[in-house]
Amino acid sequence: MRIPTLVIPHAAMRTFVIGTALLMAIVDVASSAAADASANRPNIVFIIADDCTFRDIGCYGGQAHTPNIDQLAQSGMKFNRCFQAAPMCSPTRHNLYTGLYPVKSGAYPNHTFAEDGTQSIVHYLKPLGYRVALSGKTHIGPQEVFPFEYIGKKNPDMNQIDKLLSECRDSETPFCLFACSNEPHSPWNMGDASQYPPAKIKLPPYIVDTPQVREDFSDYLAEVTYFDDQVGQILQLLDKHQFSDNTLVMVVSEQGNSFPFAKWTCYSNGLQSAMIVRWPGKVHPGTVTDAMVEYVDVTPTFIAAAGAASQPSLDGKSFLPVLTGETDQHKSFSYGIMTTRGIINGSDAYAIRTVRGQQYRLIWNLNHETKFTNACTQTRYFQSMVDVAKEGDSNAKDLVNRYYFRPELELYDCNADPLEMTNLAENPEYVSVIKELKSNLEQWMASQGDEGIETEYDAILHQHAYKGMTREQARKAWDTKKSKKGKQQGGNGKKRNANKSTGE
Protein backbone atom coordinates (compact mmCIF):
# COMPACT_ATOMS: atom_id res chain seq x y z
CA MET A 1 0.00 0.00 0.00
CA ARG A 2 1.34 3.37 -0.98
CA ILE A 3 1.38 6.00 1.76
CA PRO A 4 0.23 9.37 0.41
CA THR A 5 2.58 12.31 0.63
CA LEU A 6 1.46 15.12 2.93
CA VAL A 7 1.56 18.42 1.08
CA ILE A 8 1.78 21.56 3.24
CA PRO A 9 1.03 24.87 1.58
CA HIS A 10 3.96 27.26 1.34
CA ALA A 11 2.37 29.94 3.54
CA ALA A 12 1.50 27.41 6.23
CA MET A 13 5.02 25.99 6.13
CA ARG A 14 6.47 29.44 6.51
CA THR A 15 4.22 30.13 9.53
CA PHE A 16 5.21 26.79 11.07
CA VAL A 17 8.93 27.48 10.67
CA ILE A 18 8.67 31.01 12.07
CA GLY A 19 6.58 29.80 15.01
CA THR A 20 9.02 27.02 15.78
CA ALA A 21 11.97 29.39 15.61
CA LEU A 22 10.17 31.88 17.84
CA LEU A 23 9.37 29.17 20.40
CA MET A 24 12.98 28.01 20.42
CA ALA A 25 14.14 31.60 20.87
CA ILE A 26 11.81 32.07 23.82
CA VAL A 27 13.11 28.87 25.41
CA ASP A 28 16.71 30.00 24.85
CA VAL A 29 16.00 33.42 26.35
CA ALA A 30 14.25 31.87 29.35
CA SER A 31 17.11 29.43 29.88
CA SER A 32 19.65 32.21 29.53
CA ALA A 33 17.70 34.43 31.95
CA ALA A 34 17.52 31.60 34.50
CA ALA A 35 21.24 31.02 34.15
CA ASP A 36 21.96 34.73 34.52
CA ALA A 37 19.70 34.94 37.59
CA SER A 38 21.53 32.02 39.18
CA ALA A 39 24.89 33.58 38.34
CA ASN A 40 23.83 36.93 39.81
CA ARG A 41 22.58 35.48 43.06
CA PRO A 42 25.05 36.28 45.82
CA ASN A 43 26.72 33.63 47.86
CA ILE A 44 26.00 33.99 51.58
CA VAL A 45 28.30 33.28 54.52
CA PHE A 46 26.95 33.66 58.05
CA ILE A 47 29.48 33.36 60.90
CA ILE A 48 28.28 33.18 64.50
CA ALA A 49 30.17 33.13 67.80
CA ASP A 50 28.94 31.31 70.90
CA ASP A 51 28.40 33.20 74.17
CA CYS A 52 30.21 36.39 73.19
CA THR A 53 29.27 39.80 74.56
CA PHE A 54 29.25 42.29 71.69
CA ARG A 55 30.90 44.98 73.83
CA ASP A 56 34.06 42.86 74.14
CA ILE A 57 34.80 42.96 70.39
CA GLY A 58 37.40 45.49 69.31
CA CYS A 59 35.35 47.53 66.84
CA TYR A 60 32.57 47.80 69.45
CA GLY A 61 34.98 49.32 71.96
CA GLY A 62 36.01 46.05 73.60
CA GLN A 63 39.44 44.99 74.81
CA ALA A 64 39.58 41.70 72.88
CA HIS A 65 41.99 41.68 69.94
CA THR A 66 39.78 41.09 66.91
CA PRO A 67 41.67 42.33 63.84
CA ASN A 68 39.71 40.27 61.32
CA ILE A 69 36.30 41.39 62.57
CA ASP A 70 37.53 44.98 62.87
CA GLN A 71 38.75 44.92 59.26
CA LEU A 72 35.45 43.44 58.13
CA ALA A 73 33.66 46.38 59.78
CA GLN A 74 35.85 48.80 57.83
CA SER A 75 34.89 46.97 54.64
CA GLY A 76 31.17 46.84 55.37
CA MET A 77 28.39 47.91 57.74
CA LYS A 78 28.41 47.76 61.54
CA PHE A 79 25.05 47.54 63.30
CA ASN A 80 24.76 49.28 66.66
CA ARG A 81 21.27 47.95 67.43
CA CYS A 82 21.04 44.27 66.61
CA PHE A 83 19.07 42.09 69.04
CA GLN A 84 18.04 38.48 69.44
CA ALA A 85 14.92 37.03 70.99
CA ALA A 86 16.36 34.70 73.64
CA PRO A 87 19.61 34.74 75.67
CA MET A 88 20.38 31.03 75.27
CA CYS A 89 22.06 29.01 72.52
CA SER A 90 19.34 26.69 71.25
CA PRO A 91 16.41 29.11 70.93
CA THR A 92 18.76 31.64 69.36
CA ARG A 93 19.66 29.29 66.53
CA HIS A 94 16.08 28.22 65.92
CA ASN A 95 15.11 31.89 65.86
CA LEU A 96 17.82 32.67 63.30
CA TYR A 97 17.15 29.86 60.85
CA THR A 98 13.33 29.95 60.90
CA GLY A 99 12.59 33.68 60.94
CA LEU A 100 10.11 33.00 63.77
CA TYR A 101 10.08 34.17 67.36
CA PRO A 102 10.69 31.40 69.94
CA VAL A 103 7.20 30.71 71.32
CA LYS A 104 5.60 30.63 67.87
CA SER A 105 8.07 28.03 66.57
CA GLY A 106 7.91 26.14 69.87
CA ALA A 107 11.67 26.49 70.34
CA TYR A 108 11.79 28.80 73.35
CA PRO A 109 13.55 26.94 76.20
CA ASN A 110 17.12 25.69 75.90
CA HIS A 111 17.87 22.21 74.49
CA THR A 112 14.73 22.60 72.42
CA PHE A 113 13.24 21.76 69.02
CA ALA A 114 10.93 23.43 66.52
CA GLU A 115 7.40 22.23 65.89
CA ASP A 116 6.98 19.66 63.12
CA GLY A 117 6.18 21.34 59.81
CA THR A 118 8.18 24.47 60.58
CA GLN A 119 10.26 25.66 57.64
CA SER A 120 13.80 26.98 57.81
CA ILE A 121 16.20 28.87 55.57
CA VAL A 122 17.04 25.62 53.79
CA HIS A 123 13.49 25.29 52.47
CA TYR A 124 13.61 28.79 51.04
CA LEU A 125 17.06 28.82 49.42
CA LYS A 126 17.50 25.26 48.20
CA PRO A 127 14.72 25.55 45.56
CA LEU A 128 16.60 28.57 44.22
CA GLY A 129 19.59 26.37 43.44
CA TYR A 130 21.62 27.08 46.57
CA ARG A 131 23.67 24.57 48.48
CA VAL A 132 22.78 25.35 52.08
CA ALA A 133 25.42 24.05 54.47
CA LEU A 134 26.13 24.27 58.19
CA SER A 135 29.57 23.68 59.64
CA GLY A 136 30.09 23.68 63.40
CA LYS A 137 27.71 23.88 66.33
CA THR A 138 24.13 22.82 65.64
CA HIS A 139 21.87 22.68 68.77
CA ILE A 140 18.76 22.57 66.57
CA GLY A 141 16.12 20.03 65.64
CA PRO A 142 14.42 18.13 64.23
CA GLN A 143 16.45 17.46 61.09
CA GLU A 144 13.31 17.58 58.92
CA VAL A 145 12.99 21.24 59.85
CA PHE A 146 16.71 21.88 59.35
CA PRO A 147 17.85 19.72 56.40
CA PHE A 148 21.20 21.45 56.11
CA GLU A 149 24.17 19.87 54.42
CA TYR A 150 26.11 19.29 57.64
CA ILE A 151 29.90 19.54 57.24
CA GLY A 152 31.82 19.43 60.50
CA LYS A 153 30.83 19.36 64.15
CA LYS A 154 31.30 21.71 67.15
CA ASN A 155 33.46 24.20 65.25
CA PRO A 156 33.67 25.20 61.58
CA ASP A 157 35.69 22.60 59.68
CA MET A 158 37.97 24.64 57.43
CA ASN A 159 38.89 21.64 55.27
CA GLN A 160 35.24 20.84 54.62
CA ILE A 161 34.47 24.49 53.93
CA ASP A 162 37.39 24.60 51.49
CA LYS A 163 35.96 21.55 49.73
CA LEU A 164 32.47 23.07 49.58
CA LEU A 165 33.74 26.29 48.04
CA SER A 166 35.83 24.39 45.52
CA GLU A 167 32.85 22.27 44.44
CA CYS A 168 30.58 25.32 44.16
CA ARG A 169 33.17 27.15 42.08
CA ASP A 170 33.56 24.23 39.69
CA SER A 171 29.81 23.68 39.32
CA GLU A 172 28.96 27.41 39.37
CA THR A 173 26.49 26.76 42.20
CA PRO A 174 25.54 29.51 44.65
CA PHE A 175 25.95 28.60 48.31
CA CYS A 176 24.73 29.69 51.71
CA LEU A 177 27.14 28.65 54.47
CA PHE A 178 26.45 28.89 58.19
CA ALA A 179 29.79 28.69 60.01
CA CYS A 180 28.94 28.21 63.69
CA SER A 181 31.76 28.51 66.19
CA ASN A 182 31.72 27.00 69.67
CA GLU A 183 33.86 29.88 70.97
CA PRO A 184 34.01 31.68 73.33
CA HIS A 185 31.62 29.28 75.09
CA SER A 186 33.06 27.88 78.33
CA PRO A 187 35.20 26.07 79.27
CA TRP A 188 37.62 28.77 78.15
CA ASN A 189 40.54 26.63 77.03
CA MET A 190 41.27 27.92 73.52
CA GLY A 191 43.47 30.80 72.46
CA ASP A 192 46.43 32.55 74.07
CA ALA A 193 45.44 34.02 77.45
CA SER A 194 48.90 35.54 77.90
CA GLN A 195 47.66 38.43 75.74
CA TYR A 196 45.33 39.33 78.58
CA PRO A 197 47.18 39.47 81.94
CA PRO A 198 44.47 39.17 84.63
CA ALA A 199 45.81 42.15 86.56
CA LYS A 200 45.50 44.45 83.53
CA ILE A 201 42.12 43.57 82.07
CA LYS A 202 39.11 45.82 82.64
CA LEU A 203 36.00 44.32 84.20
CA PRO A 204 32.56 45.80 83.58
CA PRO A 205 31.04 47.48 86.65
CA TYR A 206 28.23 44.93 86.93
CA ILE A 207 30.70 42.11 87.73
CA VAL A 208 32.34 41.84 91.17
CA ASP A 209 36.11 42.16 90.92
CA THR A 210 37.79 39.02 92.35
CA PRO A 211 41.01 37.18 91.40
CA GLN A 212 38.95 34.25 90.12
CA VAL A 213 36.82 36.51 87.95
CA ARG A 214 39.93 38.13 86.48
CA GLU A 215 41.51 34.79 85.68
CA ASP A 216 38.38 33.48 83.98
CA PHE A 217 37.70 36.74 82.14
CA SER A 218 41.25 36.63 80.77
CA ASP A 219 40.62 33.12 79.41
CA TYR A 220 37.31 34.25 77.94
CA LEU A 221 38.92 37.18 76.09
CA ALA A 222 41.49 34.77 74.63
CA GLU A 223 38.66 32.74 73.15
CA VAL A 224 37.10 35.85 71.62
CA THR A 225 40.40 36.32 69.79
CA TYR A 226 40.36 32.64 68.84
CA PHE A 227 36.92 33.16 67.27
CA ASP A 228 38.27 36.16 65.39
CA ASP A 229 40.94 33.92 63.88
CA GLN A 230 38.21 31.54 62.67
CA VAL A 231 36.56 34.49 60.95
CA GLY A 232 39.85 35.31 59.29
CA GLN A 233 40.34 31.76 58.03
CA ILE A 234 36.90 31.72 56.41
CA LEU A 235 37.49 35.08 54.72
CA GLN A 236 40.80 33.76 53.38
CA LEU A 237 39.00 30.76 51.88
CA LEU A 238 36.58 33.09 50.10
CA ASP A 239 39.57 34.95 48.67
CA LYS A 240 41.25 31.69 47.67
CA HIS A 241 38.27 30.62 45.59
CA GLN A 242 37.61 34.14 44.26
CA PHE A 243 34.19 34.42 45.89
CA SER A 244 34.73 37.56 47.95
CA ASP A 245 33.29 40.00 45.40
CA ASN A 246 29.95 38.19 45.13
CA THR A 247 29.45 37.03 48.70
CA LEU A 248 27.36 38.59 51.46
CA VAL A 249 29.28 37.96 54.68
CA MET A 250 27.51 38.46 58.02
CA VAL A 251 29.26 38.05 61.38
CA VAL A 252 27.35 38.08 64.69
CA SER A 253 28.35 37.57 68.31
CA GLU A 254 25.28 35.69 69.62
CA GLN A 255 24.03 36.25 73.19
CA GLY A 256 26.38 37.58 75.84
CA ASN A 257 29.02 35.69 77.77
CA SER A 258 28.18 33.50 80.76
CA PHE A 259 29.25 36.01 83.39
CA PRO A 260 26.42 37.64 85.40
CA PHE A 261 23.91 40.00 83.77
CA ALA A 262 24.58 38.71 80.25
CA LYS A 263 23.64 35.24 78.99
CA TRP A 264 20.45 33.86 80.59
CA THR A 265 19.14 37.39 81.17
CA CYS A 266 17.05 39.87 79.21
CA TYR A 267 19.40 42.78 79.76
CA SER A 268 21.11 44.23 76.71
CA ASN A 269 24.26 42.28 77.49
CA GLY A 270 22.20 39.12 77.08
CA LEU A 271 20.13 40.10 74.05
CA GLN A 272 22.18 42.61 72.07
CA SER A 273 24.54 41.31 69.42
CA ALA A 274 27.31 42.51 67.20
CA MET A 275 26.40 42.37 63.53
CA ILE A 276 28.75 43.24 60.70
CA VAL A 277 27.88 42.81 57.02
CA ARG A 278 30.23 43.01 54.05
CA TRP A 279 28.76 42.82 50.55
CA PRO A 280 30.93 44.43 47.85
CA GLY A 281 28.97 46.62 45.46
CA LYS A 282 25.91 46.60 47.71
CA VAL A 283 27.05 47.68 51.18
CA HIS A 284 29.09 50.86 51.38
CA PRO A 285 32.41 50.29 53.23
CA GLY A 286 32.87 51.80 56.67
CA THR A 287 29.15 52.31 57.29
CA VAL A 288 27.66 52.40 60.78
CA THR A 289 23.90 52.16 61.29
CA ASP A 290 21.57 52.64 64.25
CA ALA A 291 18.74 50.83 62.46
CA MET A 292 17.15 48.34 64.88
CA VAL A 293 17.24 44.78 63.56
CA GLU A 294 16.67 41.36 65.12
CA TYR A 295 17.97 37.86 64.50
CA VAL A 296 14.47 36.95 63.37
CA ASP A 297 15.10 39.25 60.38
CA VAL A 298 18.15 37.35 59.11
CA THR A 299 16.32 34.61 57.19
CA PRO A 300 13.98 37.11 55.43
CA THR A 301 17.01 39.22 54.54
CA PHE A 302 18.83 36.27 52.99
CA ILE A 303 15.70 35.32 51.05
CA ALA A 304 15.47 38.87 49.68
CA ALA A 305 19.19 38.97 48.86
CA ALA A 306 18.71 35.79 46.82
CA GLY A 307 16.02 37.55 44.80
CA ALA A 308 13.05 35.54 46.05
CA ALA A 309 9.66 36.84 47.14
CA SER A 310 9.07 37.66 50.79
CA GLN A 311 7.42 35.05 53.00
CA PRO A 312 4.42 36.56 54.83
CA SER A 313 4.34 33.66 57.30
CA LEU A 314 7.62 34.80 58.89
CA ASP A 315 7.81 37.05 61.95
CA GLY A 316 10.93 38.80 60.72
CA LYS A 317 11.28 41.15 57.80
CA SER A 318 14.14 41.84 55.43
CA PHE A 319 16.51 44.68 56.24
CA LEU A 320 17.98 44.60 52.74
CA PRO A 321 17.05 48.29 52.25
CA VAL A 322 19.25 49.15 55.25
CA LEU A 323 22.16 47.23 53.75
CA THR A 324 21.85 48.94 50.38
CA GLY A 325 21.54 52.39 51.91
CA GLU A 326 17.93 53.01 50.88
CA THR A 327 16.92 53.68 54.50
CA ASP A 328 18.44 54.00 57.96
CA GLN A 329 15.30 52.75 59.74
CA HIS A 330 13.93 49.22 60.19
CA LYS A 331 12.06 48.49 63.43
CA SER A 332 10.79 50.49 66.38
CA PHE A 333 10.87 47.65 68.92
CA SER A 334 12.72 44.43 69.68
CA TYR A 335 11.49 41.65 71.97
CA GLY A 336 13.02 38.99 74.19
CA ILE A 337 12.05 35.97 76.27
CA MET A 338 13.87 33.97 78.95
CA THR A 339 12.75 30.73 80.60
CA THR A 340 14.56 28.80 83.34
CA ARG A 341 12.37 25.71 83.59
CA GLY A 342 14.42 22.71 82.50
CA ILE A 343 17.75 24.47 81.99
CA ILE A 344 20.92 23.57 83.93
CA ASN A 345 20.48 24.67 87.57
CA GLY A 346 17.55 26.83 86.51
CA SER A 347 14.88 28.14 88.84
CA ASP A 348 11.78 25.95 88.81
CA ALA A 349 10.01 28.73 86.93
CA TYR A 350 11.30 32.21 86.17
CA ALA A 351 9.59 33.79 83.18
CA ILE A 352 11.14 37.00 81.86
CA ARG A 353 9.83 39.10 78.98
CA THR A 354 11.27 42.32 77.59
CA VAL A 355 10.66 44.99 74.99
CA ARG A 356 13.27 47.49 73.84
CA GLY A 357 12.22 50.71 72.13
CA GLN A 358 14.42 53.40 70.64
CA GLN A 359 15.37 54.69 74.10
CA TYR A 360 14.00 52.50 76.89
CA ARG A 361 14.05 48.83 77.80
CA LEU A 362 11.26 47.37 79.94
CA ILE A 363 11.86 44.00 81.63
CA TRP A 364 8.92 42.12 83.12
CA ASN A 365 9.89 39.45 85.67
CA LEU A 366 6.72 37.40 85.93
CA ASN A 367 8.10 35.11 88.68
CA HIS A 368 9.85 37.89 90.57
CA GLU A 369 9.09 36.35 93.99
CA THR A 370 11.41 33.45 93.09
CA LYS A 371 15.18 33.31 93.37
CA PHE A 372 16.80 33.49 89.92
CA THR A 373 19.35 30.75 89.28
CA ASN A 374 21.05 29.15 86.30
CA ALA A 375 24.38 27.54 85.42
CA CYS A 376 26.19 30.82 86.10
CA THR A 377 25.32 30.78 89.80
CA GLN A 378 27.24 27.51 90.29
CA THR A 379 30.50 28.61 88.70
CA ARG A 380 33.74 29.31 90.53
CA TYR A 381 33.72 32.94 89.50
CA PHE A 382 30.17 33.58 90.73
CA GLN A 383 30.85 31.79 94.01
CA SER A 384 33.93 33.99 94.45
CA MET A 385 31.60 36.99 94.18
CA VAL A 386 29.31 35.46 96.80
CA ASP A 387 32.28 34.95 99.11
CA VAL A 388 33.33 38.59 98.81
CA ALA A 389 29.75 39.66 99.52
CA LYS A 390 29.69 37.51 102.66
CA GLU A 391 32.90 39.16 103.81
CA GLY A 392 31.07 42.47 103.95
CA ASP A 393 31.78 44.12 100.59
CA SER A 394 28.66 46.25 100.04
CA ASN A 395 29.05 46.52 96.26
CA ALA A 396 29.48 42.75 95.95
CA LYS A 397 26.45 42.14 98.15
CA ASP A 398 24.35 44.52 96.07
CA LEU A 399 25.36 42.93 92.74
CA VAL A 400 24.85 39.35 93.95
CA ASN A 401 21.43 40.21 95.38
CA ARG A 402 20.46 42.02 92.18
CA TYR A 403 21.28 38.91 90.21
CA TYR A 404 19.38 36.54 92.49
CA PHE A 405 16.36 38.75 93.17
CA ARG A 406 14.59 41.11 90.76
CA PRO A 407 11.56 43.41 91.08
CA GLU A 408 8.57 42.72 88.87
CA LEU A 409 9.40 45.58 86.52
CA GLU A 410 12.71 47.06 85.46
CA LEU A 411 13.05 50.11 83.22
CA TYR A 412 16.32 51.39 81.76
CA ASP A 413 17.23 54.40 79.67
CA CYS A 414 19.48 52.65 77.15
CA ASN A 415 20.84 55.91 75.75
CA ALA A 416 21.89 57.45 79.06
CA ASP A 417 22.58 54.13 80.80
CA PRO A 418 23.77 51.60 78.17
CA LEU A 419 24.93 49.09 80.79
CA GLU A 420 21.46 49.22 82.39
CA MET A 421 22.65 49.81 85.93
CA THR A 422 19.90 52.19 87.13
CA ASN A 423 16.34 50.87 87.36
CA LEU A 424 13.85 53.71 86.75
CA ALA A 425 10.70 51.66 87.27
CA GLU A 426 9.94 53.14 90.72
CA ASN A 427 10.32 56.71 89.49
CA PRO A 428 6.83 58.24 89.01
CA GLU A 429 8.10 60.29 86.08
CA TYR A 430 8.19 57.13 83.95
CA VAL A 431 4.69 55.78 84.61
CA SER A 432 3.50 56.60 81.09
CA VAL A 433 6.65 55.11 79.52
CA ILE A 434 6.11 51.85 81.42
CA LYS A 435 2.43 51.76 80.52
CA GLU A 436 3.13 52.20 76.82
CA LEU A 437 5.94 49.65 76.69
CA LYS A 438 4.07 47.06 78.73
CA SER A 439 1.01 47.39 76.49
CA ASN A 440 3.26 46.87 73.47
CA LEU A 441 4.88 43.84 75.11
CA GLU A 442 1.54 42.27 76.02
CA GLN A 443 0.31 42.70 72.43
CA TRP A 444 3.43 40.98 71.12
CA MET A 445 3.03 38.12 73.62
CA ALA A 446 -0.61 37.65 72.55
CA SER A 447 0.43 37.55 68.88
CA GLN A 448 2.88 34.76 69.71
CA GLY A 449 0.53 32.68 71.84
CA ASP A 450 2.73 33.48 74.85
CA GLU A 451 0.76 33.04 78.08
CA GLY A 452 3.58 34.11 80.35
CA ILE A 453 3.86 31.92 83.45
CA GLU A 454 1.80 29.13 81.89
CA THR A 455 4.15 29.16 78.90
CA GLU A 456 7.05 28.96 81.35
CA TYR A 457 5.58 25.84 82.98
CA ASP A 458 5.11 24.27 79.55
CA ALA A 459 8.74 24.86 78.53
CA ILE A 460 9.62 21.25 79.35
CA LEU A 461 7.15 20.08 76.67
CA HIS A 462 9.51 21.67 74.17
CA GLN A 463 12.66 19.92 75.37
CA HIS A 464 13.89 16.59 74.05
CA ALA A 465 13.68 14.84 77.42
CA TYR A 466 9.90 15.34 77.51
CA LYS A 467 9.10 15.21 73.80
CA GLY A 468 5.87 13.37 73.01
CA MET A 469 4.47 13.62 76.54
CA THR A 470 1.17 15.25 77.37
CA ARG A 471 1.19 18.30 79.62
CA GLU A 472 0.12 16.17 82.57
CA GLN A 473 2.74 13.49 81.90
CA ALA A 474 5.52 16.03 81.51
CA ARG A 475 4.66 17.92 84.68
CA LYS A 476 4.40 14.70 86.66
CA ALA A 477 7.80 13.56 85.35
CA TRP A 478 9.21 16.99 86.17
CA ASP A 479 7.90 16.92 89.73
CA THR A 480 9.28 13.39 90.23
CA LYS A 481 12.67 14.48 88.95
CA LYS A 482 12.71 17.48 91.29
CA SER A 483 11.73 15.31 94.24
CA LYS A 484 14.52 12.80 93.58
CA LYS A 485 17.08 15.56 93.09
CA GLY A 486 16.04 17.20 96.36
CA LYS A 487 16.40 13.94 98.30
CA GLN A 488 19.83 13.26 96.78
CA GLN A 489 21.11 16.73 97.66
CA GLY A 490 19.64 16.56 101.12
CA GLY A 491 21.15 13.14 101.75
CA ASN A 492 24.77 13.69 100.83
CA GLY A 493 25.10 17.46 100.77
CA LYS A 494 27.09 17.33 97.54
CA LYS A 495 26.95 20.10 95.00
CA ARG A 496 27.44 19.88 91.30
CA ASN A 497 30.99 20.56 90.11
CA ALA A 498 31.03 24.24 89.34
CA ASN A 499 34.45 24.16 87.70
CA LYS A 500 33.18 22.68 84.47
CA SER A 501 31.49 24.25 81.49
CA THR A 502 28.49 26.42 82.25
CA GLY A 503 26.34 24.43 79.85
CA GLU A 504 24.69 25.43 76.62
Side-chain angles (χ1 to χ4, degrees):
M1 178 179 178
R2 185 178 179 183
I3 300 174
T5 303
L6 179 64
V7 179
I8 302 176
H10 179 73
M13 175 60 75
R14 182 182 179 192
T15 301
F16 173 77
V17 171
I18 293 175
T20 302
L22 182 60
L23 178 61
M24 293 177 66
I26 292 173
V27 171
D28 287 343
V29 170
S31 299
S32 176
D36 289 343
S38 178
N40 290 329
R41 289 190 183 115
N43 302 304
I44 300 169
V45 173
F46 179 87
I47 308 174
I48 183 171
D50 193 2
D51 289 8
C52 179
T53 299
F54 79 100
R55 302 182 196 278
D56 296 325
I57 293 173
C59 59
Y60 281 90
Q63 58 194 311
H65 302 297
T66 53
N68 296 297
I69 297 175
D70 297 349
Q71 178 57 47
L72 195 72
Q74 294 177 16
S75 304
M77 178 178 287
K78 184 181 79 167
F79 284 77
N80 284 334
R81 293 184 176 185
C82 173
F83 300 92
Q84 58 199 73
M88 292 184 290
C89 300
S90 188
T92 289
R93 283 158 171 71
H94 287 82
N95 176 229
L96 270 166
Y97 305 147
T98 65
L100 300 174
Y101 287 119
V103 172
K104 182 177 287 187
S105 72
Y108 63 88
N110 212 14
H111 311 295
T112 186
F113 54 88
E115 299 285 0
D116 292 340
T118 304
Q119 291 194 314
S120 69
I121 186 68
V122 189
H123 296 99
Y124 302 120
L125 293 189
K126 196 171 182 179
L128 301 178
Y130 277 81
R131 285 182 67 175
V132 188
L134 190 155
S135 185
K137 180 171 180 174
T138 54
H139 215 184
I140 49 176
Q143 191 157 341
E144 293 76 17
V145 174
F146 304 101
F148 288 101
E149 181 180 339
Y150 292 96
I151 52 172
K153 299 178 180 179
K154 190 174 181 179
N155 264 310
D157 187 322
M158 300 305 168
N159 291 328
Q160 289 295 320
I161 292 174
D162 189 14
K163 180 182 177 183
L164 171 73
L165 300 187
S166 177
E167 292 172 353
C168 289
R169 180 196 60 204
D170 293 343
S171 62
E172 298 184 352
T173 302
F175 60 85
C176 177
L177 168 67
F178 290 86
C180 306
S181 178
N182 195 61
E183 320 308 335
H185 193 293
S186 61
W188 300 301
N189 53 9
M190 307 294 285
D192 179 12
S194 67
Q195 297 180 78
Y196 306 100
K200 294 184 178 181
I201 62 174
K202 297 178 181 179
L203 295 174
Y206 52 83
I207 299 179
V208 181
D209 190 343
T210 74
Q212 185 65 61
V213 169
R214 287 187 167 276
E215 179 183 335
D216 289 337
F217 208 87
S218 169
D219 292 339
Y220 155 72
L221 290 174
E223 282 209 3
V224 177
T225 299
Y226 186 89
F227 167 69
D228 179 77
D229 184 65
Q230 292 176 320
V231 173
Q233 291 180 59
I234 294 170
L235 296 178
Q236 289 174 4
L237 289 174
L238 290 175
D239 289 340
K240 172 184 175 181
H241 295 285
Q242 300 180 343
F243 280 130
S244 296
D245 289 343
N246 189 36
T247 299
L248 187 165
V249 177
M250 180 180 290
V251 176
V252 299
S253 61
E254 206 212 32
Q255 77 258 340
N257 60 43
S258 54
F259 291 92
F261 299 102
K263 182 181 180 179
W264 299 297
T265 77
C266 285
Y267 301 107
S268 286
N269 288 319
L271 291 176
Q272 190 164 350
S273 171
M275 176 181 278
I276 296 167
V277 181
R278 185 188 74 182
W279 191 6
K282 298 288 187 179
V283 173
H284 191 72
T287 308
V288 179
T289 180
D290 288 329
M292 182 179 288
V293 301
E294 298 180 286
Y295 275 17
V296 75
D297 301 324
V298 170
T299 282
T301 301
F302 288 172
I303 293 172
S310 61
Q311 299 291 325
S313 60
L314 302 184
D315 287 330
K317 66 175 184 177
S318 168
F319 54 85
L320 195 61
V322 175
L323 294 177
T324 56
E326 297 174 45
T327 181
D328 59 359
Q329 302 292 321
H330 185 61
K331 286 183 169 179
S332 299
F333 299 96
S334 67
Y335 305 93
I337 171 175
M338 171 65 195
T339 61
T340 62
R341 194 170 176 86
I343 70 171
I344 297 173
N345 196 43
S347 306
D348 181 59
Y350 204 101
I352 309 175
R353 304 292 184 268
T354 187
V355 56
R356 158 74 197 262
Q358 295 299 317
Q359 182 173 357
Y360 298 99
R361 174 179 296 284
L362 178 70
I363 298 175
W364 186 10
N365 299 303
L366 284 79
N367 298 96
H368 60 95
E369 305 92 346
T370 305
K371 184 178 182 179
F372 179 74
T373 63
N374 52 52
C376 172
T377 55
Q378 285 191 330
T379 59
R380 294 176 302 183
Y381 51 81
F382 190 85
Q383 289 304 314
S384 74
M385 301 179 198
V386 173
D387 291 341
V388 172
K390 288 179 178 178
E391 291 169 2
D393 187 299
S394 59
N395 180 61
K397 184 176 181 179
D398 177 62
L399 290 174
V400 169
N401 284 339
R402 281 180 56 194
Y403 195 72
Y404 277 142
F405 303 103
R406 324 277 177 84
E408 180 180 6
L409 296 175
E410 300 175 69
L411 179 70
Y412 300 98
D413 184 334
C414 301
N415 295 341
D417 179 25
L419 295 181
E420 299 170 353
M421 299 287 289
T422 304
N423 182 11
L424 303 172
E426 296 299 320
N427 189 325
E429 295 180 18
Y430 297 95
V431 170
S432 60
V433 174
I434 292 174
K435 183 178 179 181
E436 179 183 357
L437 287 174
K438 191 176 181 187
S439 176
N440 181 288
L441 180 57
E442 289 174 333
Q443 291 177 34
W444 174 74
M445 290 172 63
S447 74
Q448 296 297 307
D450 184 352
E451 299 178 345
I453 293 176
E454 196 65 26
T455 296
E456 172 79 27
Y457 288 143
D458 282 344
I460 52 177
L461 291 170
H462 301 271
Q463 292 185 317
H464 292 285
Y466 302 89
K467 189 173 185 180
M469 293 185 184
T470 64
R471 173 183 284 179
E472 292 72 22
Q473 290 171 333
R475 291 189 179 183
K476 183 178 180 180
W478 172 257
D479 290 339
T480 300
K481 180 180 179 181
K482 281 199 308 175
S483 177
K484 289 182 178 179
K485 184 177 180 180
K487 289 179 180 179
Q488 290 172 354
Q489 290 180 340
N492 56 31
K494 291 182 179 180
K495 293 183 179 180
R496 190 169 170 223
N497 187 347
N499 299 332
K500 295 185 179 180
S501 167
T502 53
E504 297 294 351

